[in-house]
Amino acid sequence: MIDLRSDTVTRPTPAMRDAMLSAPLGDDVFGDDPTVNRLEARAAALFGMEAALFLPTGTQSNLAALMAHCQRGDEYIVGQDAHTYRYEGGGAAVLGSIQPQPLANQPDGSLALADIEAAIKPDDSHFARTRLLALENTIGGKVLARAYLEDALALAARRGLATHLDGARVFNAAVRLGMPVADLCRGFDTVSACLSKGLGAPAGTVLVGRRDLVAAARRWRKMLGGGMRQAGVLAAAGLHALEHNVDRLALDHDNAQRLAAGLARIAALEVEAPQTNMVFVRIPPAHVAPLKAHLDVRGVTTLLGPRARLVTHLDVDAAGIDAAVAAFADYFARS
Ligand SMILES: *Cc1c(COP(=O)(O)O)cnc(C)c1O
């Protein structure tokens, strides 16, 4: 089975399962799960931030962070393609009473600084209070460079906006840039990073940032139903992931290059050059359904569409990539 749908499909390795089995546990709602506490301390140190919070999902982490930053009637500036705006069920508006102000993402995934500037509302009772700028890195597999982040952070500081980074895959960005994650994220008030994607944990996200904001997010986490008890079972997997699975993301990036190069040799496909672990491929619409069926038979699981996203991760090696490319090639050789 070669599953290219997402980097969330990974199964915990035997070593990760051992770490989970042997983790010392307590009741994290009382603050006395030693493994959760160790993970939170480790995450805060790794990001060079004051505090950290362990949450079950990235969605809850982003929502708790947005609610820590914004009050009812505040708004946050966010990309049209950003996960918090587009793929989290409208939680900021539904549960947070926070108005999103979405802006078009540029082709490189960034928000144009002039667009951000123009979207900030004057202090006037007609308008929601513009409170927060939320960026995402990586976004659609693309890396926002540190120089851009510095410009965006400077703009936010100048205009009195707080900043949140949805860094679900921020380790992919840091590895791609060859930069410590603390340097890449410096200056953000809060950063959310998933342990359950490329890092291979079965569940869990860390929210890191300023102490007061993380404390507020901890209260929201409880209200949102994320106060878990012996959560050290999961935190142990997260610690193992941070210790063993960060540097190896480079292998996933290499495999994405290998996949892109292989697919680019197929004339019917148009392949976008990958930056991290995601390969985007344009497929002639008439081929989407029969190609998907063919790949299923060959043991290659995909989410196909006219612009398909194929994702590499720690459960697919170079041989698996070659098998996937061969399955694509065989289909187009016959059709
Ligand atoms: C996956 C993802 C999330 C949400 O994480 P879940 O754990 O699936 O809730 C948030 N932001 C981005 C960019 C993601 O890719």
Side-chain angles (χ1 to χ4, degrees):
M1 276 293 293
I2 299 156
D3 193 338
L4 300 175
R5 288 174 300 170
S6 177
D7 49 7
T8 55
V9 300
T10 57
R11 314 285 160 84
T13 58
M16 183 179 278
R17 289 172 196 246
D18 282 348
M20 297 170 76
L21 269 176
S22 59
L25 304 175
D27 186 331
D28 181 51
V29 174
F30 293 124
D32 57 30
D33 187 296
T35 307
V36 172
N37 292 341
R38 201 152 70 82
L39 172 63
E40 291 179 349
R42 176 93 187 86
L46 192 57
F47 280 87
M49 297 279 182
E50 289 176 3
L53 178 66
F54 181 56
L55 300 100
T57 65
T59 299
Q60 189 177 87
S61 177
N62 280 324
L63 179 57
L66 295 178
M67 292 174 78
H69 281 289
C70 299
Q71 306 301 309
R72 184 176 188 212
D74 289 350
E75 78 170 2
Y76 81 114
I77 293 174
V78 63
Q80 284 281 1
D81 301 334
H83 203 281
T84 61
Y85 175 63
R86 197 170 184 139
Y87 302 109
E88 294 181 10
V94 175
L95 300 171
S97 300
I98 303 162
Q99 167 169 284
Q101 168 59 71
L103 300 177
N105 288 92
Q106 301 303 303
D108 67 0
S110 68
L111 300 180
L113 299 178
D115 291 352
I116 297 172
E117 194 92 54
I120 298 170
K121 315 283 186 291
D123 182 5
D124 175 311
S125 62
H126 288 85
F127 302 117
R129 287 172 302 250
T130 311
R131 185 70 74 194
L132 174 72
L133 172 64
L135 298 174
E136 183 175 315
N137 202 12
T138 62
I139 177 160
K142 291 178 180 158
V143 176
L144 300 182
R146 180 63 200 172
Y148 167 75
L149 297 178
E150 272 171 25
D151 290 345
L153 288 165
L155 188 167
R158 183 159 44 77
R159 300 299 304 267
L161 302 184
T163 52
H164 173 69
L165 182 70
D166 179 356
R169 296 188 178 85
V170 73
F171 287 101
N172 292 86
V175 165
R176 162 74 193 217
L177 294 170
M179 185 183 266
V181 81
D183 292 347
L184 183 56
C185 296
R186 181 161 296 121
F188 279 93
D189 295 310
T190 49
V191 179
S192 173
C194 288
L195 304 167
S196 57
K197 299 208 166 151
L199 298 187
T205 291
V206 285
L207 178 69
V208 298
R210 239 173 50 208
R211 194 179 309 285
D212 59 321
L213 292 166
V214 171
R218 192 179 289 277
R219 290 186 67 88
W220 289 122
R221 181 188 69 170
K222 189 76 180 81
M223 194 187 292
L224 295 169
M228 300 183 288
R229 302 296 177 171
Q230 285 70 43
V233 173
L234 292 171
L239 272 166
H240 183 90
L242 288 177
E243 275 154 28
H244 297 94
N245 293 345
V246 173
D247 293 340
R248 66 149 305 286
L249 291 171
L251 298 176
D252 298 343
H253 301 173
D254 291 347
N255 281 333
Q257 296 291 342
R258 188 181 186 96
L259 179 61
L263 296 180
R265 288 195 291 272
I266 299 170
L269 301 178
E270 206 180 302
V271 183
E272 300 172 25
Q275 294 182 15
T276 56
N277 67 332
M278 292 184 187
V279 180
F280 287 88
V281 191
R282 288 189 189 279
I283 300 168
H287 284 298
V288 168
L291 173 59
K292 165 137 182 54
H294 169 86
L295 293 172
D296 283 343
V297 170
R298 295 282 292 261
V300 180
T301 309
T302 54
L303 288 170
L304 282 200
R307 182 172 178 264
R309 185 191 80 163
L310 305 171
V311 187
T312 59
H313 50 76
L314 90 184
D315 285 359
V316 184
D317 58 11
I321 296 298
D322 293 346
V325 169
F328 273 87
D330 290 348
Y331 170 85
F332 285 104
R334 271 189 253 144
S335 61

